[in-house]
Amino acid sequence: MSEQNIYILGIESSCDDTAAAVIHNGKILSNVIANQKIHEEYGGVVPELASRAHQQNIVPVVSQALSRANINKNQLHAIAFTRGPGLMGSLLVGTSFAKSLAYGLNIPLIDVNHMQAHILAHFIDEEGFNKPPFPFLGMTISGGHTQIVKVSSYFDMKVIGETIDDAVGEAFDKSGKILGLGYPAGPVIDKLAKLGNPKAFKFTKPKVDGLNFSFSGLKTAILYFIQSETKANPSFIEENLNDICASIQHTIIEILIDKLKLASKQTGIKHIAIGGGVSANSGIRQALKDGEHKFGWTTYVPKFEFTTDNAAMIAIVGYLKFLEGNFSKQDITASARLKI
Ligand code: KG4
Ligand code: ZN
């Protein structure tokens, strides 16, 4: 078997997206995602509904990933799947499916840590996107995660900072809920923020030592601020929505950039790679670009479809582990709190 001709199927089912992707060597041939709309009605992910939807989606999603890649299952060299962290019911669907498929095809099974995968998504071969050199700092920001990781090699990673309560995406989503913006609110806040004044309102930034984050206090500060302003003026939100969104986003960006500055200072590392759904935020992207001039950083943002929860990132980790012969046994189990 030549190293030049390896096909791996990646399966992701840790939260509310059922996803499958095929990678050929380091290049993605297909990347299919079934988003679960059902959760929008509830303003957040409902675990039991998520696992049921995964069960319905997984066979069609995997079939589509294979057909879009123009291969059949017998051409696969290995099956990679998300072992954790995530919702247990959701993880179980992907884990059981991957185990059965690998067993049925008699090919290696490869377990993948979802948090490592967000970072290693930067190593997918994609025209126009550079790969960060080791060591670099990886910052994963999404609705479920907020972490800064020191990455010394593909599988030598150390979490040096993380949230002690809400994730940064939750800060966007919960603020949006207070403002009546629907779920998920991040993209809407991003859009409205472009039309507003980021300095119109000031929210106190949390004081958390070292490289850890906290976002639950910010959400409470916003709630109290909105309650008190709407008491005085019931149309306060309508009249000031763009400025409120711009000010919230500005505060969140400052919190993230302050910690990145500290992480870069402490480690001496200036290569910074971000991932997770919140990295789509235009303000964060601009602040990172500014960091290149202000602090001498080189920043990396992957292609959008490899940034939100996806299976391409699981497939690239599968490929990297395949090259090392790092396979899992059939008795491996899903792990909801798997650490990096
Ligand atoms: O990675 P992701 O798709 O799923 C996980 O949470 O794992 O991230 C979703 C999160 C949501 O909280 C959503 O509001 C946020 O990413 N988000 C954004 C933007 N696009 C998505 N937040 C701020 N600005 C955006 N443009
Ligand atoms: Zn994720």
Side-chain angles (χ1 to χ4, degrees):
M1 179 166 37
S2 138
E3 259 194 19
Q4 293 314 305
N5 213 13
I6 293 160
Y7 291 94
I8 291 175
L9 173 72
I11 296 174
E12 154 65 31
S13 75
S14 65
C15 188
D16 61 338
D17 297 307
T18 320
V22 174
I23 194 165
H24 176 225
N25 301 331
K27 212 169 164 44
I28 295 298
L29 299 183
S30 64
N31 187 28
V32 178
I33 299 193
N35 297 114
Q36 301 180 2
K37 291 272 171 241
I38 180 101
H39 308 287
E40 284 174 12
E41 293 168 36
Y42 299 89
V45 178
V46 184
E48 180 56 29
L49 296 179
S51 43
R52 287 188 215 177
H54 282 307
Q55 282 189 315
Q56 288 178 340
N57 293 341
I58 195 144
V59 171
V61 165
V62 167
S63 306
Q64 223 178 81
L66 291 171
S67 66
R68 283 194 198 169
N70 214 6
I71 63 162
N72 72 59
K73 60 182 185 303
N74 297 312
Q75 289 172 269
L76 292 171
H77 294 94
I79 311 290
F81 70 99
T82 304
R83 183 182 177 212
L87 301 169
M88 187 44 106
S90 293
L91 291 167
L92 278 175
V93 178
T95 304
S96 320
F97 187 90
K99 284 164 89 167
S100 319
L101 190 57
Y103 187 72
L105 294 171
N106 196 21
I107 53 176
L109 176 68
I110 300 173
D111 66 293
V112 174
N113 179 311
H114 180 95
M115 299 309 296
Q116 286 193 345
H118 268 299
I119 288 170
L120 295 176
H122 288 275
F123 293 93
I124 293 171
D125 286 337
E126 186 67 38
E127 223 170 290
F129 290 81
N130 294 327
K131 297 171 183 169
F134 298 114
F136 65 91
L137 294 175
M139 183 168 77
T140 307
I141 43 177
S142 78
H145 341 290
T146 308
Q147 272 191 346
I148 302 180
V149 182
K150 183 182 168 197
V151 189
S152 301
S153 68
Y154 291 135
F155 297 105
D156 180 0
M157 297 189 191
K158 188 171 186 292
V159 177
I160 55 173
E162 62 190 331
T163 183
I164 56 170
D165 42 54
D166 288 351
V168 62
E170 284 180 285
F172 275 104
D173 294 338
K174 290 180 177 177
S175 306
K177 200 169 177 183
I178 296 167
L179 300 171
L181 296 180
Y183 172 87
V188 186
I189 294 181
D190 188 1
K191 205 170 115 209
L192 300 177
K194 288 187 186 134
L195 310 169
N197 172 7
K199 304 241 164 94
F201 305 107
K202 203 165 166 47
F203 301 107
T204 317
K205 288 190 277 177
K207 291 194 174 51
V208 190
D209 284 345
L211 297 173
N212 284 342
F213 299 90
S214 165
F215 287 102
S216 70
L218 178 64
K219 168 204 67 192
T220 313
I222 293 166
L223 177 66
Y224 289 162
F225 168 75
I226 294 293
Q227 279 175 345
S228 111
E229 293 293 334
T230 46
K231 214 181 229 171
N233 170 12
S235 313
F236 178 77
I237 294 180
E238 280 161 53
E239 288 169 13
N240 298 281
L241 190 57
N242 296 342
D243 285 349
I244 302 170
C245 288
S247 303
I248 292 172
Q249 183 167 302
H250 176 72
T251 311
I252 292 175
I253 293 171
E254 273 194 347
I255 296 170
L256 294 174
I257 297 292
D258 283 353
K259 293 292 178 173
L260 272 181
K261 271 161 64 183
L262 186 60
S264 175
K265 195 172 151 212
Q266 283 184 1
T267 58
I269 299 172
K270 287 181 182 286
H271 288 274
I272 296 173
I274 64 164
V278 179
S279 62
N281 185 273
S282 55
I284 291 172
R285 284 171 178 242
Q286 187 56 50
L288 287 168
K289 273 274 154 265
D290 294 346
E292 300 203 338
H293 310 298
K294 282 199 223 158
F295 318 121
W297 293 349
T298 310
T299 62
Y300 305 80
V301 187
K303 196 175 169 190
F304 182 69
E305 62 177 291
F306 304 148
T307 259
T308 53
D309 281 353
N310 68 85
M313 68 183 193
I314 306 304
I316 183 70
V317 182
Y319 175 63
L320 296 171
K321 282 192 157 184
F322 187 92
L323 295 181
E324 293 185 357
N326 188 352
F327 305 139
S328 338
K329 297 213 176 86
Q330 268 290 336
D331 63 359
I332 190 154
T333 51
S335 173
R337 294 183 181 277
L338 190 65
K339 298 267 181 259
I340 270 189

